[in-house]
């Protein structure tokens, strides 16, 4: 009996390691007859574990494109197919799902002209309306609450974005009271369907300090609550995500800085109902794994130097910009993930974008150093942190480069596509590993070979599943090569 207990103890200790070592599966693959040169394709995850595939296809330059929506179930089997009646100039920009409908937005060559589409997810029935949104050349965020639309918009001549409310039955949009100063911006737009509320987190600054504001609206765009969260001494609240829940239980989870408001010095959590951020603050040096993207000796030197500067009352030399992900709810609390990046500028210093504060140069690309994840309990106390080094990962615009899935056993998976591979990292709380893990995408048949991949993409799908997609050229042993649009299910 003692030996049995010892064996069970050893197996319990090995369980997380065995889970960590599991390679993801690819249970199913779908190939569609879309070509890179003639098609634009979007793959959208739906909350009922299905996928929506939007395609814009034109076989010849003289032919008007076909706009098609196709639904596939969790086994990538076709469910229905619908067509859209759009002018050739329209391009897909945003979507949002509030069952039983998915809402899609398409933009015309005239940037303030949009077509709004409501798609019935059960039948594939489509209804469309064309709407002019004055001064809205860009749509940054789009949420829906009980059929009503909330949009964060902007334009090329005004640095101040707007929050729009749109009732599809009344085509005239309403600008909701949100931003007041020219140096303000939106940090988060979150729809709480259970409580019938849209929460907007605003970042307001006078270039010296920054504070946050949380506004809550009902389904008709009526202001319900307004909270100003003031910064504590010597800290400016930069950006934050808001948790769902009632007034007293809602939390802000975000970043703070000091003198230079472009750079993050740490993370904070605070109840929304507090007037001053009186929650928890964690500097980057408090995190166990934040600097693990460095080599060990460099990390050690960095930590020593930064601690010495803090002891002397100086600011840290390390400066980081971060792109936050949406907050992930877990059984124990929340996970906040962020991508650490720095802009890459054009070599010609004469290129400036006057819309950016301080006449900063216009970034040509954004390079990542690493992605991080922080786990908090429901009271905002930090439980763990981990990091995922990102080598040579660039995006032309400041959009998310990695996708994240929280698994039921407590693991967190971060992943991104790289040609015929999916590069991933499985995180077991704060147990850091520098082992590089990846899988090769599989073709239909074992004898086939993927020759090339264009526009590889990856999205979080449902549960422990991702969907990888893009255009591929496949070599077939006993037949002509084929070019397809592929979707591979990646299961952890």
């Amino acid at each position: 009996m003692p030996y049995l207990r010892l064996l069970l103890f050893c197996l319990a200790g090995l369980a997380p390691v065995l889970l960590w070592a599991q390679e993801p599966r690819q249970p199913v693959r779908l190939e569609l007859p879309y070509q890179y040169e003639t098609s634009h394709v979007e793959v959208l995850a739906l909350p009922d574990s299905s996928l929506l595939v939007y395609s814009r296809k034109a076989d010849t330059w003289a032919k008007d494109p076909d706009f098609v929506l196709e639904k596939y179930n969790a086994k990538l089997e076709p469910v229905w197919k619908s067509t859209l009646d759009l002018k050739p100039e329209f391009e897909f920009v945003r979507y949002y799902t509030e069952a039983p409908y998915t809402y899609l937005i398409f933009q015309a060559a005239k940037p303030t002209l949009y077509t709004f589409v409501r798609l019935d997810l059960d039948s594939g029935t489509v209804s469309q309306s064309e709407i002019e949104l004055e001064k809205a050349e860009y749509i940054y965020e789009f949420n829906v609450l009980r059929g009503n639309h909330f949009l964060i918009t902007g334009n090329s001549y005004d640095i101040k974005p707007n929050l729009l409310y749109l009732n599809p039955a009344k085509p005239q949009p309403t600008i909701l009271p949100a931003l007041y100063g020219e140096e303000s911006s939106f940090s988060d737009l979150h729809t709480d369907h259970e409580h019938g509320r849209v929460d907007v987190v605003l970042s307001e600054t006078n270039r010296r300090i920054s504070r946050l504001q949380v506004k809550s609206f009902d389904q008709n765009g009526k202001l319900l609550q307004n909270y100003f969260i003031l910064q504590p001494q010597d800290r400016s609240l930069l950006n934050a995500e808001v948790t769902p829940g009632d007034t007293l239980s809602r939390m802000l989870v975000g970043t703070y800085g000091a003198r230079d408001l472009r750079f993050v010095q740490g993370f904070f959590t605070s109840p929304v109902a507090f007037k001053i951020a009186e929650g928890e603050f964690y500097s980057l040096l408090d995190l166990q794994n934040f600097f693990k993207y460095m080599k060990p000796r460099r990390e050690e030197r960095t930590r020593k130097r930064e601690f010495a500067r803090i002891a002397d009352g100086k600011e840290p030399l390390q400066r980081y910009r971060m792109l936050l992900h949406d907050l992930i709810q877990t059984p124990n609390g929340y996970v906040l993930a962020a991508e650490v990046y720095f802009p890459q500028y054009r070599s010609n210093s004469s290129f400036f974008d006057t819309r950016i504060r301080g006449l900063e140069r216009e970034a040509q690309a954004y390079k990542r150093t690493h992605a991080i994840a922080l786990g908090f309990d429901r009271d905002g106390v930090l439980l763990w942190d981990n990091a995922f080094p990102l080598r040579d990962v660039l995006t032309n615009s400041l959009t998310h480069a990695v996708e994240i899935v929280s698994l039921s056993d407590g693991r967190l998976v971060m992943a991104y596509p790289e040609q015929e591979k999916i590069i991933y990292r499985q995180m077991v709380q704060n147990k850091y590993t520098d082992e590089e893990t990846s899988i090769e995408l599989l073709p239909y048949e074992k004898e086939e070979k993927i020759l090339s991949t264009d526009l590889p993409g990856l999205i979080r799908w449902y549960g422990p599943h991702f969907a990888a997609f893009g255009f591929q050229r496949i070599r077939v042993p006993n037949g002509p090569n084929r070019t397809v649009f592929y979707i591979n299910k990646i299961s952890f």
Side-chain angles (χ1 to χ4, degrees), residues 362-477:
E362 182 181 3
Q364 192 175 24
Y366 300 88
K367 186 173 183 178
R368 307 308 195 275
T369 56
H370 57 305
I372 58 172
L374 290 82
F376 299 91
D377 67 15
R378 295 195 179 278
D379 295 321
V381 177
L382 181 66
L383 302 175
W384 56 268
D385 71 271
N386 217 319
F388 179 18
L390 302 175
R391 296 177 177 86
D392 301 320
V393 176
L394 290 94
T395 56
N396 293 328
S397 59
L398 193 52
T399 55
H400 294 133
V402 301
E403 288 287 317
I404 304 163
V405 161
S406 177
L407 305 182
S408 58
D409 58 21
R411 286 177 296 156
L412 191 77
V413 179
M414 288 189 174
Y416 66 91
E418 186 181 86
Q419 298 304 315
E420 290 79 45
K421 291 182 179 180
I422 301 298
I423 315 296
Y424 68 92
R425 181 67 50 89
Q426 298 187 57
M427 296 179 178
V428 181
Q429 297 196 358
N430 59 1
K431 296 175 182 177
Y432 176 79
T433 174
D434 58 1
E435 179 187 358
E436 294 189 3
T437 44
S438 65
I439 57 167
E440 295 273 352
L441 293 175
L442 300 178
Y444 263 143
E445 304 293 341
K446 209 178 258 190
E447 298 77 18
E448 297 176 342
K449 181 177 177 59
I450 299 172
L451 299 176
S452 63
T453 302
D454 290 301
L455 301 181
L458 183 75
I459 59 171
R460 179 179 61 195
W461 190 354
Y462 71 97
H465 310 286
F466 294 90
F469 54 87
F471 296 92
Q472 284 181 340
R473 187 163 171 264
I474 311 295
R475 186 173 68 198
V476 182

Side-chain angles (χ1 to χ4, degrees), residues 163 175-180 202 215 217 221 223:
L163 177 64
I175 298 179
L176 298 180
L179 301 184
Y180 301 104
L202 312 169
K215 287 178 174 286
F217 299 91
L223 182 64

Side-chain angles (χ1 to χ4, degrees), residues 103 105 114-116 129-133 139 142-151 163-176 219-221:
Y103 301 84
I105 304 177
Y114 297 91
T115 291
F116 286 76
S129 59
E130 197 171 280
I131 300 175
E132 177 90 19
L133 297 180
I139 295 179
F142 171 47
N143 281 16
V144 179
L145 178 60
R146 295 171 185 169
N148 295 314
H149 300 353
F150 293 80
L151 308 100
L163 177 64
L164 296 187
Y165 167 80
L166 179 64
N167 181 341
K170 303 174 183 177
Q172 185 61 39
T174 302
I175 298 179
L176 298 180
Q219 68 187 61
N220 299 312

Side-chain angles (χ1 to χ4, degrees), residues 40 79 128 172 178 221 249 378:
H40 174 85
V79 179
Q128 300 180 199
Q172 185 61 39
S249 66
R378 295 195 179 278

Side-chain angles (χ1 to χ4, degrees), residues 43-53 71-74 80 95-104 119-122 144 193 459-465:
V43 179
L44 313 174
L46 299 176
D48 63 354
S49 75
S50 60
L51 285 179
L52 183 65
V53 178
K71 183 178 179 179
Y72 295 88
N73 64 19
W80 49 250
Y95 87 105
Y96 190 88
T97 298
E98 183 187 49
Y101 301 108
T102 285
Y103 301 84
L104 304 99
L119 173 69
D120 188 306
L121 294 178
D122 293 326
V144 179
H193 295 277
I459 59 171
R460 179 179 61 195
W461 190 354
Y462 71 97
H465 310 286

Side-chain angles (χ1 to χ4, degrees), residues 186-207:
F186 292 94
S187 175
D188 187 27
L189 177 66
H190 177 265
T191 299
D192 190 331
H193 295 277
E194 181 181 349
H195 294 88
R197 186 185 67 234
V198 172
D199 292 323
V200 183
V201 182
L202 312 169
S203 175
E204 300 178 318
T205 177
N206 60 5
R207 300 196 185 189

Side-chain angles (χ1 to χ4, degrees), residues 65-77:
D66 297 321
F67 297 90
V68 177
L69 293 169
E70 300 166 273
K71 183 178 179 179
Y72 295 88
N73 64 19
K75 297 179 180 179
L76 293 181
E77 300 167 332

Side-chain angles (χ1 to χ4, degrees), residues 87-102:
K87 299 170 186 173
E89 64 188 86
F90 276 86
E91 300 285 350
F92 169 78
V93 289
R94 292 281 170 187
Y95 87 105
Y96 190 88
T97 298
E98 183 187 49
Y101 301 108
T102 285

